[in-house]
Amino acid sequence: MGDNLKGEAVTEPHQTFDTILVLDFGSQYSHLITRRLRELNVYSEMLPCTQKLSELSWSPKGIILSGGPYSVYEEDAPHVDPVVFDMDVPLLGICYGLQEIAWHHGKNVSAGQKREYGHARLSVQTHTGKSTHIDELFKGLGDSLEVWMSHGDKLSQLPPSFSAIATTDNAPFAGIVHDSKLYYGIQFHPEVTHTAFGSKLLKNFAVLICKARQDWTMSTFVEKEIARVQTLVGPEGQVIGAVSGGVDSTVAAKLMHQAIGTRFHAVLVNNGLLRLHEAEQVHETLTKGLGINLTVVDATNRFLTALKGITDPEQKRKIIGKNFIDVFQESAKSIATAAKNTPSAGPIEWLLQGTLYPDVIESISFRGPSATIKTHHNVGGLPATMNLKLIEPLRELFKDEVRVLGTQLGIPHDLVWRHPFPGPGLAIRILGEITPAQLAIGRQADHIFIEEIRKAGLYKEISQAFAALLPVKAVGVMGDKRVHEQVIALRAVETKDFMTADSFMFDGRFLKRVSGRIVNEVEGVCRVLYDITSKPPGTIEME
């Protein structure tokens, strides 16, 4: 439990909602466990497997040990805090987590003679006449189900006081349970969609075994979060935050406005790298549509002058980031000065940031934060000299939860489901030097592409789409005349988590229609390509 400046208690979600704690051993699927539980309306948080459980200020209803890429018998393998076995809470070990439980109860884990990756047929074993908890994990799932395996190691024999509750052809102990304690282990991954009834199994653990309440909803969250913000900021505190028109910053701003009204100051920095009519549309939506106190700063000339002659994408990001910080600081001072003789008088002490839970997960991984986070993804780089304290109302939420929250806050559907737009804007969708002429071409082509996607009813099916301007020219024939003009690359992807992505498969007639419009309506373009590269090896953005 945190405190605000006046010492008043500020309640965190894990102190309000029954919480299942996921301890991460480095699996690529770990975050999915948390997401699947949230989808069941059970609140869940993830911490690194190295977490000292005695240091928790709250008590989980149950603990899940995730999978991981290690072998428990290796010298440098990560291990859970042994205190977990003294906490008297239900445990579920998934893949590596199963082996971790077994390792603690006799170390009967070894390399398998045959690895098991992909689909497998699991046979469930029931134990009539034994303690009722033994059969509860697979209750209602049938005698046989298709599961997703991803392991090389396996149990060589059952740990003492454990029973087998599931088998596969390659793993005789694919599911185990302690005979008297609520300790369960499974060799497969219930969190992935390839496992039939995986969510049902997780529900059995969280609700049936752990007795967790299914009260995690956005309507419940928003009431508690508004109260938390009001307590944290106090009756006179001022908050400033950057908005972009994207769903995260808009939802955060609307929530802050509902909590403290005009004491929240939103700032939109128009860096000249926004999409067609974007600054005007964001101003209209946030002020007239949502009643948010918004200041728009047009810094177009400042940014474009700083970017003149720059072609390296990382240099672009750093220049944009530095200038953004300078403009934002200047705006904060101006807003504070203007508010001196108004009901909103008082120092600005808080900075709103639209951090989401995936950002939190990445930063707390026991493997360390990612080294590939792009420069200037958000305003987290603001200097300490501003003396502002962070307030992050969305930091416990996944993207899909933010969209639900936005809808409940009355934000228009089109804005809630808007595709992500990068912080550096069109600067990383126009490859090469950024000039007013290149921006005009990029904006028009992108506008046409998105307009046609909306007309075709495909916008919500696509996770992200845009048009990029390539730094090459090609020969074409237009109006009976040979031309040597620029090339547009269209990009559209489908993804659940933006960690991996596949290109969206348009109908050929659709692409032909978009190509025709761009070539005919955007001066300076004679050729249009469609990028079908998946992520990996490609990234979603071009730079």
Side-chain angles (χ1 to χ4, degrees), residues 13-44:
H14 52 236
Q15 293 162 324
T16 303
F17 298 93
D18 285 351
T19 304
I20 303 297
L21 172 61
V22 178
L23 294 177
D24 173 34
F25 284 89
S27 168
Q28 61 182 317
Y29 304 130
S30 294
H31 69 287
L32 291 179
I33 304 171
T34 304
R35 287 194 63 176
R36 295 293 171 261
L37 290 166
R38 301 271 191 98
E39 289 166 3
L40 295 166
N41 302 119
V42 175
Y43 185 64
S44 175

Side-chain angles (χ1 to χ4, degrees), residues 292-522:
I292 292 170
N293 180 16
L294 176 67
T295 299
V296 179
V297 182
D298 188 353
T300 299
N301 291 337
R302 182 172 184 162
F303 279 83
L304 295 189
T305 299
L307 288 167
K308 190 172 182 179
I310 304 299
T311 59
D312 178 74
E314 188 60 16
Q315 255 192 298
K316 289 182 189 177
R317 287 179 180 275
K318 287 180 178 176
I319 289 169
I320 293 166
K322 180 186 181 304
N323 279 272
F324 175 85
I325 289 169
D326 292 344
V327 172
F328 191 81
Q329 281 186 283
E330 292 162 12
S331 301
K333 289 177 184 175
S334 299
I335 290 169
T337 301
K340 275 184 179 177
N341 299 313
T342 72
S344 296
I348 296 174
E349 299 172 317
W350 297 89
L351 171 68
L352 173 69
Q353 190 160 304
T355 307
L356 299 191
Y357 199 55
D359 303 319
V360 177
I361 288 173
E362 184 169 18
S363 68
I364 64 175
S365 169
F366 79 95
R367 295 165 292 169
S370 170
T372 58
I373 296 174
K374 294 172 183 174
T375 305
H376 166 252
H377 182 66
N378 51 37
V379 296
L382 291 175
T385 52
M386 287 190 75
N387 295 317
L388 295 179
K389 296 175 290 296
L390 279 182
I391 187 165
E392 301 169 299
L394 309 182
R395 67 176 279 116
E396 312 298 342
L397 305 184
F398 287 100
K399 189 77 162 188
D400 53 332
E401 293 173 317
V402 173
R403 295 192 195 280
V404 173
L405 177 59
T407 300
Q408 293 191 356
L409 290 172
I411 297 173
H413 181 272
D414 284 354
L415 205 162
V416 167
W417 287 96
R418 197 177 190 200
H419 291 175
F421 187 61
L426 296 178
I428 58 171
R429 292 181 177 178
I430 295 172
L431 284 64
E433 185 180 1
I434 307 301
T435 67
Q438 294 293 79
L439 283 166
I441 291 172
R443 280 197 185 99
Q444 288 177 288
D446 184 78
H447 180 74
I448 289 169
F449 187 32
I450 300 302
E451 185 177 66
E452 288 296 331
I453 286 174
R454 289 190 185 278
K455 280 184 187 176
L458 298 172
Y459 190 83
K460 205 170 170 183
E461 293 181 34
I462 297 168
S463 303
Q464 191 167 344
F466 59 90
L469 181 57
L470 303 183
V472 295
K473 288 189 174 183
V475 171
V477 178
M478 301 178 72
D480 297 325
K481 183 173 72 173
R482 182 183 182 277
V483 296
H484 189 228
E485 294 185 333
Q486 301 201 77
V487 179
I488 289 288
L490 305 177
R491 180 90 163 127
V493 298
E494 296 176 284
T495 178
K496 290 187 181 296
D497 54 14
F498 290 89
M499 302 296 287
T500 61
D502 289 315
S503 60
F504 186 83
M505 299 310 293
F506 287 109
D507 179 272
R509 289 169 295 184
F510 172 86
L511 291 173
K512 190 173 183 180
R513 183 165 64 251
V514 173
S515 174
R517 279 198 63 189
I518 291 174
V519 169
N520 283 306
E521 297 176 33
V522 182

